[in-house]
Each structure stands twice: as structure tokens, then as C-alpha cells.
């Protein structure tokens, strides 16, 4: 398993860093699974009060990993979509306050992740969009 989602705790704050810089932090199945599982684990955590999600290097997240999607059959594509929805719902419904710290691209699923957070803080170089529409 790779380390696509880095976790760093400082007291009551948990920092989550999307870490696929070579893919502009695109959301592949493994990264979505790790995000989902992290939020499931946080349901029973009464110590973490704030979660800050950011992206490594040039982007928050460029959205879905299109290289992965081209290799999916219909069943795998539906599972990926379902996992993405479950992960975003966990973020949106978390008992902890979640902040998206956006620098660079937040496109497609990356923009959806930022929207699922309670607050979004964007740098001057942040770019938001839904290219699939």
C-alpha cells in the first residue's frame, strides 16, 4: 500500500495531505478508500476536533484519476463512483470541523472534496472547476 494520504496530528488537529504529486493529487480508488477509512476511524475519536485537508505541491486535487478510469469495466466504474460518494458524505457529515486548504487546482472530485468540507480557505493561486460539466 502506498502513502497517498499522509496524516499528521498536532494536539486536537489532524492534518490530511493528499499525496500523489505526480498526478496532481488525483483521486484514485486507493486514495478515496484511505480518506473514507480515516473518517470512519474518526467517528469514535473524541480527541480530534479539527481536520485540515490539503494537497501536496502544485494542487489540492485535480479530481478523478482519468488513467485509472480508462481501465475500469462498468462494475468497477460504478464501485469507484459509489466509493467517491461515500467518502464525500463521510467528510461532509463528520463531527469534527473540516477545513479544505486549497492551493492550486481543485477540479472535479477535488472541488467536490473542498465543497464537502465545512470551510474552504483558498490561496490566490487556487483554481476551482468542474471540467466534466
Amino acid at each position: 500500500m502506498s502513502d497517498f494520504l499522509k496524516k499528521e496530528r498536532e494536539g486536537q488537529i489532524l492534518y490530511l495531505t493528499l499525496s500523489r504529486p505526480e498526478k496532481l493529487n488525483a483521486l484514485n480508488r486507493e486514495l478515496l478508500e484511505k480518506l473514507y477509512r480515516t473518517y470512519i476511524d474518526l467517528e469514535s475519536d473524541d480527541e480530534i476536533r479539527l481536520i485540515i485537508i490539503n494537497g501536496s505541491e502544485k494542487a489540492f486535487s485535480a479530481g478523478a484519476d482519468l488513467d485509472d478510469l480508462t481501465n475500469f469495466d462498468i462494475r468497477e466504474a460504478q464501485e469507484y463512483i459509489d466509493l467517491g460518494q461515500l467518502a464525500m458524505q463521510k467528510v461532509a457529515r463528520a463531527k469534527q470541523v473540516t477545513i479544505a486548504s486549497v492551493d492550486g487546482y481543485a477540479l472535479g472530485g477535488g472541488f467536490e472534496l473542498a465543497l464537502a468540507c465545512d470551510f474552504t480557505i483558498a490561496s490566490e493561486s487556487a483554481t476551482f472547476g468542474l471540467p466534466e460539466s
Side-chain angles (χ1 to χ4, degrees), residues 98-112:
T98 302
I99 298 173
S101 175
V102 179
D103 186 32
Y105 298 114
L107 303 174
F111 187 14
E112 291 174 26

Side-chain angles (χ1 to χ4, degrees), residues 3-4 7 19 24 28 35 37-38 82 84 91 99 110 132:
D3 197 16
F4 293 151
K7 302 173 191 175
S19 186
L24 297 176
N28 66 357
L35 185 63
R37 293 281 169 217
T38 297
D82 292 345
V91 172
I99 298 173
E132 66 272 22

Side-chain angles (χ1 to χ4, degrees), residues 2-8 14-36 38-39 51-64 87-88 91 98-115 117:
S2 57
D3 197 16
F4 293 151
L5 183 66
K6 294 184 179 178
K7 302 173 191 175
E8 184 179 335
L14 179 64
Y15 294 90
L16 298 177
T17 301
L18 309 177
S19 186
R20 297 187 71 216
E22 73 288 350
K23 295 279 192 171
L24 297 176
N25 304 316
L27 303 172
N28 66 357
R29 195 178 348 209
E30 186 177 340
L31 179 51
L32 286 172
E33 180 70 30
K34 286 184 177 209
L35 185 63
Y36 176 72
T38 297
Y39 272 86
I51 302 162
I52 300 174
I53 302 175
N54 61 59
S56 62
E57 298 185 26
K58 299 177 187 174
F60 178 73
S61 175
M88 298 308 157
V91 172
T98 302
I99 298 173
S101 175
V102 179
D103 186 32
Y105 298 114
L107 303 174
F111 187 14
E112 291 174 26
L113 177 56
L115 290 171
C117 295

Side-chain angles (χ1 to χ4, degrees), residues 110-125:
F111 187 14
E112 291 174 26
L113 177 56
L115 290 171
C117 295
D118 298 300
F119 299 97
T120 298
I121 298 173
S123 73
E124 288 185 14
S125 66

